[in-house]
């Protein structure tokens, strides 16, 4: 235990605390607020400039302030007027001091334990006298608290030999219950005057507008009003002769009640004023003390100062050395937490002198003080990132980013810092027995386990007669990854060590074709297990009908917890398509006709247009930032699932992780680009197709004159983007391993389609050539799929859907076209492979096409145009069309019959035209009404960049 302060007679303690003040006082440098009493106390005492609370909300923070323990340890993880209470074994400061012979009294605000009559508060917390004043906020206003406190001081002055502990709490500057214009809740309450006589101070996280200025003037008036009450109390302390023998502490519970502050774990929510004065201990002189301190440090400091033992259970540390001007060691870090406010929003943070890590354990907004709170502000955040639902992990450099706007969690340069703070956070949670380590926390008013703000019911498991736990599913899906740009596929330039190790631990399927060489139709087919024409989804503007079941729904019906992180590319109102939970939406609008994302200097490069090849090379790719958030959220999801598993929750999970990379823009991080510069050459297939469809496509997209320098630049960027995606996938796989989940999880990696990358002088996808229609496919399941196996039998994306469901024992989709590959993968039925594989491509402007792969042959059927027939064994690059070869007439007829079996191009054309009429209305509706995007990742122009190149005229 620290040595006790040197004194003989017992010292009194006056602990003054107010609501929601932060450091908004003159002594902390706020020039427009009038706080002469507080400033005088600081000028005559000792002020800690880096003091923080443990929670950005009233009751949990006060529980720490008055027990010296973190909120989750005290039992107060939410507001006490909503049922939370100190555990029976918790010792309040009043109890510890009364045991030491102190008279204990409480006046004004009491918010650290359950709201009950004053006599019950006194009994529970060991106060000799309690006067909370009761009634409305007007009955508990600061001047009345000052009156009650002055009465106690006057009374105690008559008994100087008996030390006292007096805890006086002011309501102000909390928002008050008198409605303001627009249903906002202000700071004046009908009895406080606004104050802008010295101007107003606008916090850096708020916009300087009329609403903010009005609120800040009210707030300054409320702070001035509270200061006047504090001045009366301190003046009485002096006039009664008690000041010399009294330790005065002035503090608050947390940050200001403003958007972006209270209710968040940002510094604006956790920062507090902390001023001490004790003439008998030489805690005077107007000194300021630098270094991190927490409000759990107040109790042990007071106990040591008055010569009382500090219980071992206290988490705080004494500050007496710092207060006495002696050498001391500040905290290396402070910890903060939020679990409940108006809803379940579990968060924890670690803050060092430079960095802060915030971890969100559920998917609510990080800002409890929103429209769900009992007030609605008139002030506006300066950056909407502060108002959006955060990613699971946030890392900030407080020196360069004091407003905590730029999340560095996905930046490789800060990975060491992230790992260090993550270890610190976990150590703190373990050492303080944080219940979040065991899963969700229950509310005292909720008999069931706590739920998030987007609750999902957990269905019963359906395991038939099996007693074996079904495997978890980790489904990794990229966008536009050419199947050959993989180390394990033999590409000597590609750097994909993480996908390669996935292949080495399981199986690689080399001849898997996408359902459609375009995003939405392919993805919807892989969700439903049906070919595009059976989904009635042919273009990127067609929604999947709600009547069609998906594999997430089948797994949910089997008792799985299903979650999607990232890319889905669903069009329409349904942005879950069977997933129970979703984090990190798409960057694109949810509705056809919705407002497109502004890619700034890269505008236009994400589509099949010439500019995507021209504006390529090193720079900033906005999709990489999207995928960084996806990776962080996926890792946090796996950590959550791991914690649930360790806590005894055996519900299997299915986590789908959707990446945007390596989809164009062909722009990569400069360091990643440099990694491949000079190594990537021209495309290996230089034979230009003479089919009329491809000729028209090249002319339509203006890629008839792409020079070699442009092509190599774009190809180099693609390799770099693939490398970066692989790094992210490696982080997810590492987390799966760290959480001990690898052995019980089937992992699948694939993509929605490929990319020509300049082969045949074609780019992007939109054809049936293997570079476009074939996708990488890797599957790992320890103990079930033999490691290092390679399968060259043709298969389709719809077959992967059937395979996943077969592996989990979930019900098969009843109307699906796919065939399970599980027997092939496990070796139990190596010949059990599909006979035929199909892919479809249709457009609104008349292209009606279908492909069939049967054995060694591939037929590409173009309605109204000549077909193509290739022998892939003899001609793997598909440069010799055999459709006119008389020797292949039988093969041509057979495959043509297959491609037309159940697929009528005239009917498809008619249905697309019919849907187009509906689409016109839907598109116009979305453009005019701007419906909300339920899941959308915010992309801003600043995320795009092109090294050494400016934005072209007219590109925006």
């Amino acid at each position: 235990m620290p040595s006790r302060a040197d004194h003989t007679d017992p010292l009194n303690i006056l602990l003054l605390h107010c609501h929601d003040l932060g450091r908004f006082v003159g002594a902390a440098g706020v020039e427009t607020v009038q706080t002469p009493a507080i400033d005088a106390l600081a000028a005559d005492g000792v002020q800690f400039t880096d003091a923080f609370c443990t929670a950005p909300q009233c009751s949990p923070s006060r529980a720490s302030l008055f027990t010296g323990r973190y909120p989750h340890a005290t039992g107060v993880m939410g507001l006490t007027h909503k049922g939370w209470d100190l555990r029976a074994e918790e010792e309040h400061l009043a109890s510890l001091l009364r045991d030491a012979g102190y008279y204990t009294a409480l006046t004004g605000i009491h918010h650290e334990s359950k709201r009950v009559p004053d006599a019950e508060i006194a009994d529970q917390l060991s106060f000799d006298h309690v006067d909370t004043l009761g009634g409305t906020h007007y009955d508990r206003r600061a001047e009345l608290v000052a009156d009650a406190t002055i009465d106690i001081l006057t009374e105690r002055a008559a008994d100087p030999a008996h030390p006292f502990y007096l805890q006086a709490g002011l309501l102000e500057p909390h928002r008050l219950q008198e409605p303001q214009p627009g249903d906002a809740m202000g700071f004046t309450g009908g009895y406080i005057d606004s104050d802008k006589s010295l101007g107003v101070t606008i916090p850096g996280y708020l916009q300087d507008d009329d609403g903010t200025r009005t609120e800040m003037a009210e707030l300054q008036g409320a702070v001035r009003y509270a200061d006047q009450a504090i001045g009366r109390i301190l003046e009485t302390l002096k006039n009664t002769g008690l000041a010399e023998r009294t330790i005065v502490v002035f503090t608050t519970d947390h940050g200001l009640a403003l958007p972006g502050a209270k209710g968040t774990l940002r510094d604006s929510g956790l920062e507090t004023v902390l001023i001490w004065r004790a003439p008998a201990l030489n805690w005077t002189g107007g000194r300021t003390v630098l270094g991190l301190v927490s409000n759990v440090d107040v109790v042990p400091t007071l106990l040591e100062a008055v010569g009382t033992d500090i219980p071992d259970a206290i988490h705080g540390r004494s500050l007496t050395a710092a207060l006495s001007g002696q050498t001391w060691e500040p905290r290396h870090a402070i910890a903060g937490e939020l679990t409940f406010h108006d809803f379940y929003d579990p968060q924890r943070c670690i803050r060092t002198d430079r960095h802060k890590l915030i971890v969100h354990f559920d998917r609510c907004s990080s800002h409890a003080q929103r429209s769900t709170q009992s007030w609605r502000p008139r002030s506006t955040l300066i950056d909407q990132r502060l108002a959006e639902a955060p990613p699971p992990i946030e890392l900030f450099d407080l020196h360069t980013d004091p407003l905590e706007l730029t999340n560095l969690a996905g930046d490789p340069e800060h990975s060491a810092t992230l790992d260090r703070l993550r270890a610190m956070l976990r150590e703190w949670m373990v050492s303080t027995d944080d219940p979040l380590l065991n899963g969700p926390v229950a509310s005292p008013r909720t008999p069931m386990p706590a739920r998030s703000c987007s609750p999902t019911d957990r269905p019963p498991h359906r395991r038939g007669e099996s007693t074996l736990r079904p495997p978890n599913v980790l489904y990794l899906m990229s966008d536009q990854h050419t199947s050959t740009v993989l180390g394990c596929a033999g590409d000597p330039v590609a750097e994909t060590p993480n996908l390669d190790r996935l292949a080495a631990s399981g199986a690689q399927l080399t001849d898997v074709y996408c359902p459609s060489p375009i995003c939405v139709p392919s993805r919807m087919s892989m969700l439903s297990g049906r070919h595009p024409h059976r989904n009635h989804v042919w273009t990127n503007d067609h929604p999947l009908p709600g009547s069609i079941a998906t594999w997430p729904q089948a797994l949910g019906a089997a008792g799985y917890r299903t979650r999607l992180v990232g890319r889905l590319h669903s069009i329409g109102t349904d942005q879950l398509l069977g997933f129970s939970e979703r984090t990190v939406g798409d960057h694109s609008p949810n509705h056809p006709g919705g407002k497109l994302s502004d890619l700034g200097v890269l505008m236009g490069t994400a589509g099949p247009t010439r500019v995507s090849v021209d504006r390529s090379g090193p720079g900033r790719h906005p999709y990489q930032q999207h995928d960084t958030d996806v990776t962080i959220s996926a890792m946090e999801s796996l950590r959550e699932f791991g914690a649930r598993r360790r806590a005894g929750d055996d519900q299997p999970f299915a986590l789908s992780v959707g990446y945007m990379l390596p989809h164009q823009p062909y722009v990569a991080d400069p360091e990643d680009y440099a990694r491949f510069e000079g190594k990537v050459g021209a495309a290996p297939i230089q034979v230009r197709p003479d089919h009329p469809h491809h000729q028209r496509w090249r002319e339509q997209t203006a890629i008839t004159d792409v020079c070699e320098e442009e092509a190599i630049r774009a190809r180099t960027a693609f390799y770099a983007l693939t490398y970066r995606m692989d790094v992210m996938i490696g982080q997810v796989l590492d987390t799966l391993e760290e959480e001990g989940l690898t052995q019980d999880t089937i992992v699948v990696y694939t993509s929605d389609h490929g990319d020509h990358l300049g082969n045949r002088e074609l780019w992007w996808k939109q054809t049936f050539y293997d570079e476009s229609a074939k996708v990488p496919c890797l599957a790992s399941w320890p103990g079930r799929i033999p490691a290092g196996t390679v399968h060259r039998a043709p298969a389709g994306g719809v077959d992967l859907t059937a395979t996943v469901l077969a592996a989990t024992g979930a019900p098969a989709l009843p109307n699906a076209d796919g065939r399970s590959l599980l027997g092939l993968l496990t070796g139990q039925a190596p010949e059990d492979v599909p006979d035929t594989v199909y892919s479809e491509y249709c457009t609104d402007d008349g292209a009606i096409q279908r492909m069939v792969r049967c054995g060694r042959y591939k037929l590409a059927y173009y309605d109204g145009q000549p077909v193509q027939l290739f022998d892939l064994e003899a001609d793997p690059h598909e440069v010799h069309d055999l459709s006119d070869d008389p020797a292949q007439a039988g093969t041509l007829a057979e495959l043509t019959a297959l491609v037309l079996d159940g697929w009528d191009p005239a009917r498809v054309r008619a249905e697309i035209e019919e849907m187009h009429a509906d689409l016109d209305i839907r598109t116009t509706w979305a453009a005019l009404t701007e419906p909300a995007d339920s899941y959308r990742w915010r992309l801003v122009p600043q995320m795009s960049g092109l090294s050494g190149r400016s934005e072209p005229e007219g590109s925006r």
Side-chain angles (χ1 to χ4, degrees):
M1 189 182 84
S3 61
R4 297 174 180 176
D6 182 20
H7 61 85
T8 53
D9 297 331
L11 299 178
N12 306 307
I13 299 172
L14 172 61
L15 200 164
L16 299 167
H17 61 101
C18 64
H19 259 300
D20 303 7
L21 181 62
R23 299 186 192 137
F24 200 72
V25 296
V30 182
E31 297 179 352
T32 60
V33 68
Q34 300 189 57
T35 53
I38 297 170
D39 299 347
L41 181 66
D44 192 30
V46 180
Q47 180 179 2
F48 287 86
T49 61
D50 300 299
F52 294 89
C53 62
T54 58
Q57 33 172 181
C58 310
S59 299
S61 179
R62 281 189 167 83
S64 290
L65 177 63
F66 298 123
T67 67
R69 287 161 50 78
Y70 290 104
H72 63 260
T74 68
V76 181
M77 288 180 281
L79 300 176
T80 55
H81 62 274
K82 294 189 175 183
W84 293 91
D85 198 2
L86 289 170
R87 293 191 177 100
E89 62 271 21
E90 291 299 314
E91 288 192 286
H92 194 281
L93 177 59
S95 175
L96 297 169
L97 290 173
R98 189 157 78 167
D99 288 345
Y102 275 71
Y103 173 84
T104 57
L106 181 156
T107 58
I109 291 298
H110 152 264
H111 211 183
E112 63 267 31
S113 64
K114 194 172 182 179
R115 283 191 178 177
V116 291
D118 288 356
E120 294 182 34
I121 295 172
D123 182 63
Q124 177 187 4
L125 304 184
S126 297
F127 280 102
D128 295 302
H129 174 86
V130 172
D131 185 3
T132 61
L133 280 72
T136 67
H137 65 264
Y138 185 75
D139 298 319
R140 293 178 286 127
R141 62 192 187 276
E143 60 185 284
L144 299 185
V145 175
D147 290 343
T149 305
I150 288 169
D151 288 344
I152 297 295
L153 290 174
T154 303
E155 173 188 311
R156 301 321 302 168
D159 187 11
H162 190 182
F164 64 81
Y165 165 66
L166 176 53
Q167 176 180 314
L170 306 184
L171 173 65
E172 297 80 8
H174 195 285
R175 288 183 184 259
L176 301 170
Q177 298 302 310
E178 182 174 345
Q180 305 292 323
D183 292 326
M185 304 304 296
F187 296 94
T188 62
Y191 61 90
I192 297 173
D193 294 327
S194 296
D195 180 18
K196 55 182 179 180
S197 57
L198 302 178
V200 293
T201 296
I202 308 296
Y205 46 87
L206 295 182
Q207 291 186 19
D208 187 350
D209 56 26
D210 290 344
T212 301
R213 285 185 164 271
T214 298
E215 287 213 313
M216 296 312 298
E218 289 186 5
L219 175 62
Q220 291 183 171
V223 174
R224 181 181 64 178
Y225 176 79
D227 181 84
Q228 292 168 349
I230 291 168
R232 290 178 56 214
I233 293 170
L234 295 177
E235 185 67 19
T236 300
L237 190 72
K238 176 182 177 181
N239 293 339
T240 54
L242 295 171
E244 291 299 312
R245 301 298 306 167
T246 299
I247 301 172
V248 176
V249 184
F250 173 68
T251 190
T252 187
D253 49 0
H254 48 67
L256 296 170
L258 293 170
K262 178 179 179 179
T264 81
L265 293 183
R266 284 177 161 79
D267 276 7
S268 51
L270 295 175
E271 64 187 13
T272 60
V273 61
L274 180 60
I275 302 172
W276 300 70
R277 187 185 68 190
L281 300 175
N282 294 318
W283 297 356
T284 56
R287 288 183 292 110
T288 56
V289 180
L290 306 177
L292 297 174
V293 299
S294 170
N295 66 349
V296 291
D297 299 333
V298 171
V299 167
T301 303
L302 288 171
L303 294 179
E304 184 176 35
V306 300
T308 297
D309 290 339
I310 302 174
D312 293 337
I314 283 182
H315 296 135
R317 47 192 291 191
S318 176
L319 305 176
T320 55
L323 287 163
S324 300
Q326 302 170 7
T327 301
W328 77 298
E329 184 177 354
R331 287 178 173 269
H332 298 299
I334 61 101
E337 64 181 87
L338 188 150
T339 307
F340 279 88
H341 199 82
D342 276 3
F343 47 74
Y344 184 54
D345 189 11
Q347 308 171 35
R348 301 293 185 262
C349 80
I350 283 287
R351 185 204 195 276
T352 66
D353 61 348
R354 174 155 189 173
H355 293 99
K356 179 186 288 180
L357 171 70
I358 304 176
V359 176
H360 303 267
F361 290 80
D362 211 292
R363 294 305 302 151
C364 297
S365 163
S366 69
H367 309 295
Q369 303 290 9
R370 295 172 66 118
S371 59
T372 55
Q373 178 61 353
S374 58
W375 51 269
R376 188 166 300 172
R378 287 158 288 169
S379 45
T380 307
L381 288 165
I382 195 169
D383 192 305
Q384 285 308 301
R385 282 177 289 181
L386 293 167
E388 294 173 348
I393 299 179
E394 297 179 285
L395 177 68
F396 301 107
D397 184 334
L398 302 171
H399 286 190
T400 62
D401 179 28
L403 294 182
E404 302 168 67
L405 296 175
T406 303
N407 185 10
L408 303 174
D411 188 338
E413 292 185 4
H414 294 84
S415 59
T417 300
L418 178 63
D419 291 343
R420 177 171 58 88
L421 266 66
R422 183 185 287 125
M424 294 170 64
L425 179 62
R426 182 169 183 82
E427 180 182 357
W428 169 69
M429 293 177 70
V430 171
S431 66
T432 58
D433 197 21
D434 193 326
L436 268 186
L437 293 172
N438 300 319
V441 175
S443 163
R445 293 185 177 180
T446 306
M448 298 297 291
R451 297 193 171 190
S452 71
C453 52
S454 298
T456 57
D457 290 329
R458 169 180 169 178
H461 294 190
R462 298 178 183 174
R463 304 181 186 173
E465 299 301 320
S466 174
T467 59
L468 296 176
R469 183 183 185 277
N472 305 308
V473 176
L474 176 58
Y475 196 106
L476 304 165
M477 191 171 191
S478 61
D479 199 313
Q480 203 161 304
H481 185 191
T482 302
S483 63
T484 55
V485 182
L486 273 170
C488 60
D491 191 316
V493 177
E495 294 186 34
T496 54
N498 296 296
L499 290 174
D500 296 347
R501 67 167 158 133
L502 183 62
S505 69
Q508 178 181 2
L509 293 90
T510 63
D511 285 66
V512 175
Y513 289 86
C514 64
S516 176
I518 191 171
C519 305
V520 174
S522 184
R523 291 172 176 273
M524 298 304 102
S525 286
M526 294 175 78
L527 277 166
S528 70
R530 301 186 186 194
H531 297 312
H533 73 276
R534 297 194 61 237
N535 280 337
H536 302 279
V537 178
W538 290 285
T539 77
N540 280 350
D541 289 328
H542 293 162
L544 182 68
S547 59
I548 295 178
T550 62
W551 69 257
Q553 289 171 327
L555 288 180
Y560 274 73
R561 178 188 300 275
T562 60
R563 180 178 298 175
L564 167 66
V565 178
R567 185 70 159 160
L568 178 65
H569 211 169
S570 171
I571 301 300
T573 56
D574 189 349
Q575 291 295 311
L576 292 175
L577 295 181
F579 288 99
S580 298
E581 304 165 316
R582 186 179 183 186
T583 68
V584 189
D586 287 294
H587 76 285
S588 51
N590 295 172
H591 305 275
K595 186 176 182 180
L596 298 175
S597 296
D598 185 351
L599 271 66
V601 68
L602 298 180
M603 199 65 179
T605 60
T609 57
R610 178 68 167 77
V611 69
S612 70
V613 182
D614 172 60
R615 303 192 67 72
S616 60
R620 291 191 308 278
H621 194 314
Y623 298 166
Q624 180 172 327
Q625 298 189 46
H626 171 272
D627 287 358
T628 297
D629 286 349
V630 168
T631 301
I632 293 169
S633 183
M635 293 166 65
E636 196 56 38
S637 291
L638 290 172
R639 293 191 181 98
E640 175 195 331
F641 298 149
R644 291 177 182 273
R645 182 76 175 276
R646 291 188 293 274
D649 184 349
D650 65 348
Q651 182 183 17
F653 66 81
L655 178 64
S656 179
V657 182
Y659 287 105
M660 279 298 306
L661 296 182
H663 193 291
Q664 85 265 15
Y666 300 119
V667 174
D669 178 86
E671 289 188 10
D672 292 346
Y673 186 90
R675 192 182 191 96
F676 295 92
E677 193 169 15
K679 299 179 181 179
V680 180
I685 305 174
Q686 291 295 320
V687 177
R688 182 189 304 169
D690 58 4
H691 191 278
H693 168 71
H694 302 125
Q695 291 179 348
R696 176 178 178 271
W697 177 249
R698 293 179 66 250
E699 293 169 359
Q700 182 180 339
T701 56
I703 53 173
T704 56
D705 62 346
V706 176
C707 68
E708 183 175 292
E709 184 273 332
E710 289 177 306
I712 291 176
R713 190 175 65 225
R715 284 170 52 80
T716 300
F718 186 89
Y719 274 76
L721 294 171
T722 303
Y723 163 75
R724 179 50 50 191
M725 177 194 68
D726 181 84
V727 170
M728 297 180 188
I729 288 175
Q731 294 174 309
V732 174
L733 296 177
D734 288 345
T735 305
L736 187 76
E737 179 69 31
E738 291 165 4
E739 293 298 318
L741 298 170
T742 301
Q743 294 300 313
D744 299 324
T745 302
I746 180 171
V747 181
V748 175
Y749 169 74
T750 190
S751 197
D752 54 354
H753 47 70
D755 190 318
H756 285 101
L757 292 179
N759 284 290
R760 309 173 209 280
E761 299 186 19
L762 292 171
W763 291 89
W764 323 296
K765 53 270 189 183
Q766 290 105 355
T767 83
F768 294 131
Y769 288 117
D770 274 8
E771 308 91 69
S772 167
K774 196 184 284 188
V775 293
C777 184
L778 311 172
S780 175
W781 189 8
R784 297 297 301 276
I785 297 177
T789 51
V790 178
H791 303 283
R792 304 192 184 281
V798 293
D799 301 321
L800 296 184
T801 306
T803 304
V804 169
L805 296 180
T808 60
L813 295 171
N815 297 301
D817 297 307
R819 180 172 176 177
S820 173
L821 305 173
L822 189 60
L824 171 70
L825 293 172
T826 61
Q828 295 177 348
E831 304 303 321
D832 190 7
V833 295
D835 299 320
T836 53
V837 179
Y838 296 90
S839 187
E840 302 175 23
Y841 177 66
C842 302
T843 66
D844 287 324
D845 61 357
I848 308 295
Q849 304 168 8
R850 196 181 195 205
M851 179 214 89
V852 61
R853 167 81 187 270
C854 184
R856 62 189 290 174
Y857 293 101
K858 178 202 283 188
L859 175 77
Y861 181 93
Y862 305 87
D863 185 45
Q865 293 180 326
V867 299
Q868 289 178 303
L869 177 67
F870 299 105
D871 180 346
L872 297 181
E873 287 188 9
D875 177 27
H877 286 169
E878 302 170 87
V879 296
H880 302 296
D881 182 2
L882 303 177
S883 61
D884 291 332
D885 186 346
Q888 299 294 336
T891 302
L892 178 64
E894 179 185 355
L895 267 63
T896 300
L898 286 173
V899 87
L900 294 174
D901 185 19
W903 182 79
D904 180 355
R907 182 176 178 181
V908 170
R909 187 182 303 277
E911 290 190 11
I912 290 177
E913 290 176 357
E914 182 179 337
M915 292 178 67
H916 195 77
D918 288 318
L919 181 61
D920 285 342
I921 294 177
R922 294 175 61 231
T923 300
T924 303
W925 165 78
L928 295 179
T929 65
E930 298 184 354
D933 289 322
S934 54
Y935 290 94
R936 188 169 184 183
W937 183 79
R938 183 169 178 261
L939 189 155
V940 296
Q942 293 79 8
M943 295 176 179
S944 301
L946 199 58
S947 299
R949 306 182 72 182
S950 60
E951 184 173 358
E953 190 70 27
S955 69
R956 298 286 293 277

